[in-house]
Amino acid sequence: MIIGIGIMLLTFGLMEVKAWLMHKYVLHGFLWKLHRSHHTPKKSFFEWNDLFFAYYGLLAMLCFIYGSENMDFRFWIGAGISLYGFLYFVVHDLYIHRRLKIFGKADNVYLRALDIAHRVHHKTRGRDGSESFGMLWVHPKFIRLAKKTASQRNVAGGTLLN
Ligand SMILES: [Zn+2]
Ligand SMILES: [Zn+2]
């Protein structure tokens, strides 16, 4: 069980690395066709980019199917992928992009930094020239920016968004 939880946490950490690499080199690379829907103004609730959720969902499901027979490492890898996918959805889709109006602006410096970093990512509408490809790991410069703008966040949020 302890080893299983270790595998799950390791998978979770590796998923952030994988998400960063995928985002930078695949989504802003040869799969830009799908990811472009996430960088252009929305036309409907769903985007082609959502297919990536289905991809990770399928991956986790296969891990659960094959790993739950003997509760082996595959089960815990599936749990790590699911945990990451869930948090990614909450942070990226619900908190940052507000696809469902559940969360307001956070006061927490880390959450503010994630928001700023991802908005900087979205400043570029095209395939090239973007930055901040990760999700839960944030560059320290955005933490500093979030601290600095905590008191005047409306002004800062406004300039970053435009
Ligand atoms: Zn992107
Ligand atoms: Zn986004």
Side-chain angles (χ1 to χ4, degrees):
M1 178 79 176
I2 300 241
I3 292 175
I5 290 174
I7 293 173
M8 182 179 80
L9 295 177
L10 186 69
T11 306
F12 183 87
L14 288 175
M15 279 297 288
E16 173 70 12
V17 178
K18 188 175 186 287
W20 188 90
L21 289 170
M22 275 273 288
H23 193 178
K24 188 171 166 75
Y25 296 107
V26 178
L27 306 198
H28 283 254
F30 74 97
L31 285 184
W32 170 249
K33 268 195 194 88
L34 293 179
H35 187 56
R36 182 171 49 200
S37 63
H38 186 58
H39 278 265
T40 44
K42 274 182 158 308
K43 291 191 192 90
S44 66
F45 183 76
F46 290 105
E47 322 170 341
W48 283 107
N49 191 57
D50 293 334
L51 282 179
F52 295 108
F53 274 115
Y55 163 69
Y56 284 113
L58 192 74
L59 214 62
M61 209 169 73
L62 289 173
C63 287
F64 283 131
I65 290 172
Y66 290 106
S68 57
E69 231 170 273
N70 303 311
M71 287 296 281
D72 60 23
F73 67 97
R74 289 172 292 191
F75 175 88
W76 295 103
I77 290 177
I81 296 173
S82 304
L83 189 66
Y84 185 83
F86 175 73
L87 274 180
Y88 193 101
F89 178 75
V90 171
V91 169
H92 176 258
D93 292 81
L94 297 185
Y95 168 63
I96 295 175
H97 288 298
R98 298 187 169 78
R99 289 179 79 173
L100 301 172
K101 311 276 179 277
I102 296 177
F103 300 115
K105 286 268 180 196
D107 281 327
N108 180 284
V109 168
Y110 169 67
L111 288 176
R112 287 275 311 136
L114 289 185
D115 194 17
I116 294 171
H118 197 66
R119 281 175 200 283
V120 167
H121 176 73
H122 274 280
K123 271 181 97 170
T124 314
R125 290 265 163 96
R127 194 187 78 166
D128 304 315
S130 200
E131 59 170 310
S132 287
F133 293 92
M135 181 41 57
L136 301 176
W137 182 84
V138 63
H139 193 284
K141 72 177 178 187
F142 294 116
I143 301 270
R144 285 195 292 273
L145 195 61
K147 278 186 187 153
K148 216 163 72 187
T149 58
S151 52
Q152 30 154 322
R153 82 182 109 145
N154 288 336
V155 182
T159 28
L160 279 163
L161 271 172
N162 296 322

